[in-house]
Amino acid sequence: MNEIESSALPPRGPAEHAIREQIVAAAEQHFSRYGYEKTTVSDLAKSIGFSKAYIYKFFDSKQAIGEAICSKTLSAIIAAVEEAVAGATTPTEKFRRMFKALTTTSVSLFFNDRKLYDIAASAAGEGWPSARGYAQRIRQILADIVREGRETGEFERKTPLDETVHAIYLVVQPYANPLLLQHNLDLVEAAPVQLSNLVLRSLAP
């Protein structure tokens, strides 16, 4: 990788985006070897041949770089969940598929690639915007499924919607939050089925 002079003005448009992606890709490799928490921006700059000042023209902190990596990962999980839900024909099946896709994709991405887990754990523990947006999207998908289930008569309608969605999210959270998921890896095969059955029984009219 050629060194880019720190005195150069940051390019705009597609060129700026390309350099940001170059920094992110290099950061992923570095974090993979040394870990997110142990890496400083100075370490990163030295390893990829950029000056620290130049990196700061594109990212204002190490967290901002971690955010870019984390956002891509969490977006991939959301995409997998949305695809699974779209392939179901009933709210009941949508919930089952959502829970399964959420769990299996999270395990695959977070624990087959420890650098992603380290970053996601920091995001969840420190409440990064990407983690908050991810949690909000999961709750929105849940709300859409419950609302549809009520409209079709599959789910009960007495409990306030927000209360129902919040309760279901509490059930799902140990398998959606990487900090909690690490303690439930032995249960990822059986738990989504068992908990889905429990939730769906509670939603019966």
Side-chain angles (χ1 to χ4, degrees), residues 32 104-117:
S32 180
T104 56
T105 308
S106 295
V107 170
S108 176
L109 290 177
F110 291 147
F111 295 98
N112 290 338
D113 192 338
R114 294 300 303 189
K115 71 175 181 293
L116 293 180
Y117 172 76

Side-chain angles (χ1 to χ4, degrees), residues 9-30:
L9 292 175
R12 299 179 181 276
E16 180 178 20
H17 177 75
I19 293 177
R20 286 175 62 88
E21 288 298 307
Q22 186 180 14
I23 293 171
V24 169
E28 286 188 87
Q29 294 180 5
H30 192 79

Side-chain angles (χ1 to χ4, degrees), residues 150-171:
R150 291 183 171 195
E151 291 172 353
T152 60
E154 286 186 47
F155 300 158
E156 62 89 15
R157 303 177 64 177
K158 295 180 180 179
T159 311
L161 179 63
D162 57 347
E163 180 180 327
T164 299
V165 172
H166 179 66
I168 298 174
Y169 182 72
L170 292 178
V171 174

